[in-house]
């Protein structure tokens, strides 16, 4: 059965200029075909091997008519089915040729033809990316091997392991959040954007530089050994600035940022693959420290990567070893001064590492997808423990955007409520603004179903990202949580004005407001005066173990002033 054909341009010649093999020389015949097997480009050697004049663009009919029926059937099957195929074809006059058919990308195939018994020469391989026209991974492997050979030669000339001349540098360039562009605007727009990015990158490179698309939205720039590390960093900054300028794609303005990792082929770099690994580590550091910036490789990055890998392995075991637990931070109503609930917070106590900060392991859990399994456990554990609290006390649980991807969040919530017997109205799901951009339609559907169960939904850390009034009105939020950065900065008039706006916005939309990070009576009073509904923070209590809650309920409530008393 034929595989579904990809959506491609209706005109097979429209993309032909992106990979023109007509100038390719050597003993191998080259042809580029579209997804229907129509010819886009061919070199003269192909015609010689096929025994007729160069085929007209758009047809392989002379070739197909010149081969026997069995070969024609095998070729048709290969064109329809295979990503990579090797076959021998026989002409009606008895001549034989060897054909290699490979996929360049979703819409194009590469056809290589030699005489039977001959192999395709390595220098005849396509080293050009079909989408952008840049060099591709074939060129990458050869370039890295060339760097190793060049360094070995220079070292032998100097008679020492030290290299006094300049050192080759590479820049690994990655478009920030490119997947979101594909998801929201479509792959056709994404492909057009990649072509435009490639064009701008060409503008900052010289003929002696190697500019390679190594896959997806990643590019590699190899700078020759006469450059200094300062030059590489300056060029990286220039690239970041150039690519931050708006792109116009299909009438739409698109703004992007890029993260760049820089590595130098120095004496501490064993070989080409190690150099590439160093650049990748520097790229990851650029992403971790805010994206849209460049970072140069430093040896401690490799140590951090090893620690991260070890932490990831330990984290995957932590669930089975019962190293995770929940602690709870109280939430107090500002109007009555009474306790209204707790927020469940995840903690990981490692037998050797001690307490591992959530800021360290939660990002790893999200990157690996382990957050889905951990998140389901958190919901169940929080509901079971909250079921022992007095009626009227709620429990808030943080949910990662990734927990919405597989559509199982609603099932996990229903299971937790059923097994614990907790009233759905006592459960609150907290989501961050990232959910609104990660997979908004799936999120809206699942949040709506949660509200139908009578589960409350809070927007966490509102004001720190890009959520807008339209998001608050579209999604079924019942509460807005004010980030602690606003609470601590509320002594400033402008920050206090923002807090007042968030509270007013929540009130106007029928949502409650809760401020996080309240540590002083002054902060408590200001929020009370502003009409905020509830607070949590060290002024109320630090997070506590589940078995400490009963004692807290007896001895530590009713100590904060109610709104009427404060007045």
């Amino acid at each position: 059965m034929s595989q579904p054909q990809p959506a491609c341009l209706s005109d097979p010649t429209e993309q032909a200029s992106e990979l023109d093999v007509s100038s390719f020389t050597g003993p191998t015949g080259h042809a580029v075909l579209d997804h229907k097997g129509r010819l886009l480009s061919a070199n003269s050697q192909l015609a010689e091997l096929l025994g007729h004049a160069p085929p007209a663009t758009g047809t392989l009919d002379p070739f197909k008519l010149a081969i026997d029926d069995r070969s024609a059937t095998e070729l048709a099957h290969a064109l329809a089915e295979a990503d990579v195929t090797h076959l021998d074809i026989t002409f009606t006059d008895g001549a034989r040729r060897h054909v290699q058919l490979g996929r360049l990308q979703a819409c194009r195939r590469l056809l290589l033809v030699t005489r039977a018994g001959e192999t395709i020469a390595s220098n005849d391989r396509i080293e050009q990316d079909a989408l952008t026209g840049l060099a591709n991974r074939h060129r990458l492997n050869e370039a890295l091997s060339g760097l190793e050979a060049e360094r070995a030669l220079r070292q032998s000339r100097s008679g020492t392991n030290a290299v006094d001349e300049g050192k080759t540098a590479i820049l690994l360039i990655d478009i920030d959040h490119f997947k979101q562009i594909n998801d929201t605007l479509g792959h056709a727009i994404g492909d057009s954007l990649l072509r435009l990015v490639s064009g701008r990158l060409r503008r900052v490179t010289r003929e002696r530089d190697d500019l390679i698309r190594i896959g997806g939205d990643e590019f590699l720039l190899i700078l020759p050994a006469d450059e200094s590390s300062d030059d590489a960093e300056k060029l990286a900054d220039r690239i970041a600035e150039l690519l931050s300028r708006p792109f116009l794609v299909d009438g739409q303005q698109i703004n992007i940022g890029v993260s760049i990792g820089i590595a130098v082929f120095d004496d501490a770099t064993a070989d080409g693959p190690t150099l590439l690994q160093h650049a990748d580590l520097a790229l990851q550091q650029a992403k971790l420290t805010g994206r849209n910036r460049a970072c140069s490789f430093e040896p401690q990055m490799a140590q951090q990567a090893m620690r991260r890998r070890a932490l990831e392995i330990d984290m995957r075991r932590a669930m089975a070893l019962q190293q995770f637990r929940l602690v709870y931070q109280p939430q107090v109503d500002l109007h009555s001064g009474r306790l209204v609930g707790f927020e469940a917070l995840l903690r990981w106590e490692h037998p050797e590492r001690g307490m591992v900060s959530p800021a360290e392991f939660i990002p790893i859990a999200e990157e690996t997808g382990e957050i889905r399994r951990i998140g389901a456990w958190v919901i169940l554990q929080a509901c079971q423990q909250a079921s022992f609290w007095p009626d009227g006390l709620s429990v808030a649980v943080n949910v990662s955007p990734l927990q919405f991807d597989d559509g199982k969040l609603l099932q996990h919530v229903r299971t937790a409520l059923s097994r614990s017997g907790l009233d759905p109205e006592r459960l609150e799901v907290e989501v961050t603004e990232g959910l609104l951009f990660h997979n908004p339609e799936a999120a809206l559907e699942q949040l709506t179903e949660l509200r139908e169960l009578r589960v409350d939904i809070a927007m966490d850390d509102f004001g720190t990202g890009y959520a807008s009034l339209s998001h608050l009105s579209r999604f079924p939020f019942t509460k807005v949580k004010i980030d602690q950065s606003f609470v601590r900065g509320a002594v400033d008039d402008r920050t206090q004005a923002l807090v007042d706006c968030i509270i007013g916005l929540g009130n106007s939309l029928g949502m409650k407001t809760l401020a996080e990070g309240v540590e002083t009576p002054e902060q408590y009073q200001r929020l009370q005066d502003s009409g905020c509904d509830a607070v949590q923070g060290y002024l109320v209590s630090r997070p506590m173990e589940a078995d400490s809650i009963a004692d807290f309920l007896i001895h530590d409530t009713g100590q904060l002033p109610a709104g009427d008393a404060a007045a």
Side-chain angles (χ1 to χ4, degrees):
M1 181 181 296
S2 297
Q3 298 294 325
Q5 296 292 352
C8 298
L9 295 174
S10 58
D11 181 359
T13 65
E14 188 169 343
Q15 299 181 18
S17 61
E18 294 168 13
L19 183 51
D20 184 2
V21 297
S22 60
S23 61
F24 281 39
T25 59
T28 304
H30 295 75
V32 178
L33 313 175
D34 72 0
H35 67 289
K36 294 184 178 179
R38 295 176 296 195
L39 187 68
L40 301 180
S41 175
N43 67 345
S44 59
Q45 186 64 17
L46 179 71
E48 179 180 332
L49 289 165
L50 300 184
H52 57 76
T57 298
T59 178
L60 276 177
D61 289 345
F63 178 29
K64 295 176 181 177
L65 292 173
I67 61 180
D68 63 22
D69 291 342
R70 179 177 179 179
S71 295
T73 300
E74 291 178 348
L75 179 62
H77 178 76
L79 287 169
E81 298 286 347
D83 283 341
V84 178
T85 300
H86 296 264
L87 65 151
D88 291 320
I89 59 173
T90 304
F91 286 79
T92 53
D93 62 4
R96 293 175 60 78
R97 298 289 183 265
H98 178 72
V99 171
Q100 177 179 329
L101 185 69
R103 187 176 296 281
L104 288 172
Q105 63 172 52
C107 299
R108 272 154 290 186
R109 313 291 296 281
L110 172 64
L111 183 73
L112 301 177
V113 181
T114 61
R115 290 180 174 84
E118 294 181 354
T119 57
I120 303 221
S122 61
N123 60 348
D124 280 332
R125 289 184 309 214
I126 291 293
E127 294 186 349
Q128 191 174 19
D129 175 58
L131 179 65
T132 63
L134 301 179
N136 62 16
R137 292 194 70 93
H138 284 308
R139 174 58 191 153
L140 171 63
N141 296 331
E142 294 180 1
L144 292 179
S145 298
L147 292 178
E148 295 174 11
E150 178 186 358
R151 186 175 73 165
L153 177 62
R154 292 166 62 202
Q155 288 177 342
S156 66
R157 287 174 176 172
S158 67
T160 177
N161 288 333
V163 180
D164 297 328
E165 304 173 38
K167 298 177 179 64
T168 299
I170 64 173
L171 275 61
L172 187 58
I173 306 163
D174 182 85
I175 300 176
D176 294 332
H177 306 299
F178 182 74
K179 184 179 183 298
Q180 292 183 7
I181 296 174
N182 276 339
D183 290 345
T184 57
L185 301 179
H187 288 270
I189 295 292
D191 285 351
S192 296
L193 177 62
L194 288 173
R195 295 188 194 102
L196 294 175
V197 167
S198 302
R200 290 193 187 179
L201 288 174
R202 284 193 187 98
R203 286 164 50 185
V204 296
T205 58
R206 302 156 303 183
E207 186 175 349
R208 57 183 174 171
D209 300 332
D210 267 317
L211 179 58
I212 302 168
R213 182 188 177 210
I214 61 176
D217 61 331
E218 282 194 335
F219 301 85
L220 185 73
L221 181 58
I222 302 178
L223 305 177
D226 58 357
E227 302 290 325
S228 70
S229 57
D230 288 344
D231 291 332
E233 292 174 357
K234 290 176 182 176
L235 179 58
D237 291 339
R238 183 181 175 193
I239 289 173
E241 190 280 327
L242 183 64
L243 295 183
S244 69
R245 300 175 189 175
F247 291 86
L248 187 64
V249 183
D250 236 10
Q252 300 189 65
Q253 179 175 310
I254 299 177
N255 293 82
I256 64 170
V258 291
S259 298
I260 303 174
I262 305 170
V264 176
F265 207 170
D266 56 19
D267 301 330
T269 309
D271 49 29
T274 302
L275 176 67
L276 190 60
Q277 181 187 38
H278 288 175
D280 187 60
L281 289 172
L283 173 64
Q284 298 309 313
Q285 183 66 21
K287 291 181 177 181
L288 289 173
T289 52
R291 297 181 183 266
N292 196 26
R293 55 169 304 188
C295 281
S296 295
F297 171 76
E298 297 178 2
Q300 62 264 31
M301 292 180 185
Q303 298 170 2
Q304 292 169 357
M306 292 177 63
R307 170 180 166 80
R308 183 194 180 283
R309 176 59 180 160
L311 193 65
E312 177 185 336
I313 294 172
D314 286 351
M315 183 190 65
R316 291 182 183 276
R317 300 170 179 163
M319 182 78 72
L321 297 175
Q322 299 182 341
Q323 295 173 358
F324 288 127
R325 72 175 192 271
L326 297 181
V327 295
Y328 297 89
Q329 186 164 38
Q331 299 172 335
V332 168
D333 181 85
L334 282 174
H335 305 295
S336 65
R338 304 296 299 177
L339 182 72
V340 291
F342 295 84
E343 179 181 4
L345 302 170
L346 182 62
R347 295 292 183 263
W348 176 16
E349 187 171 4
H350 191 281
E352 298 174 358
R353 301 175 187 270
M355 294 300 297
V356 183
S357 169
E360 187 173 9
F361 74 83
I362 291 295
I364 297 176
E366 292 186 327
E367 290 173 21
T368 60
E370 190 71 8
I371 192 67
R372 297 184 182 91
R373 192 165 65 98
I374 296 173
W377 176 85
V378 168
I379 293 171
L380 177 60
Q381 186 79 357
C383 288
Q384 288 178 331
Q385 292 180 341
S387 67
F388 293 99
W389 304 343
D391 290 342
L393 294 182
S394 64
V395 61
V397 178
N398 292 280
V399 176
S400 165
L402 293 180
Q403 291 177 254
F404 288 81
D405 284 352
D406 57 9
K408 295 182 179 179
L409 177 63
L410 188 66
Q411 174 188 331
H412 294 322
V413 170
R414 282 176 171 159
T415 298
L417 292 173
S418 175
R419 291 177 59 178
S420 66
L422 186 72
D423 186 337
E425 293 183 350
R426 295 177 59 192
L427 175 62
E428 179 178 276
V429 169
E430 295 186 2
V431 299
T432 61
E433 296 181 358
L435 175 67
L436 309 182
F437 305 95
H438 177 74
N439 195 347
E441 296 307 321
L444 176 60
E445 179 181 353
Q446 293 176 75
L447 290 177
T448 300
E449 290 175 331
L450 285 174
R451 279 300 298 141
E452 291 173 354
L453 287 178
R454 294 179 292 117
V455 172
D456 282 333
I457 302 169
M459 161 64 74
D460 198 12
D461 299 335
F462 183 76
T464 60
Y466 301 97
S468 64
L469 178 60
S470 63
H471 291 119
L472 285 181
S473 60
R474 182 185 179 200
F475 287 79
F477 296 116
T478 56
K479 180 183 291 183
V480 178
K481 297 190 71 175
I482 303 171
D483 185 70
Q484 59 185 354
S485 61
F486 292 103
V487 174
R488 293 170 182 170
V491 290
D492 173 76
D493 290 341
R494 292 175 63 86
T495 307
Q496 181 62 49
L498 288 173
V499 171
D500 292 342
C501 285
I502 295 173
I503 294 171
L505 181 61
N507 291 337
S508 65
L509 294 175
M511 302 176 189
K512 290 187 176 296
T513 53
L514 181 147
E516 299 177 292
V518 177
E519 298 181 348
T520 68
E522 291 76 19
Q523 292 169 350
Y524 184 94
Q525 186 65 54
R526 280 197 302 270
L527 290 163
Q528 202 171 53
D529 294 342
S530 298
C532 187
D533 293 304
V535 295
Q536 70 182 75
Y538 287 177
L539 179 66
V540 179
S541 172
R542 291 177 178 270
M544 65 187 70
E545 303 290 340
D547 56 11
S548 300
I549 290 178
D551 187 63
F552 177 80
L553 294 175
I554 295 173
H555 298 98
D556 294 303
T557 56
Q559 295 184 358
L560 295 172
D564 293 340

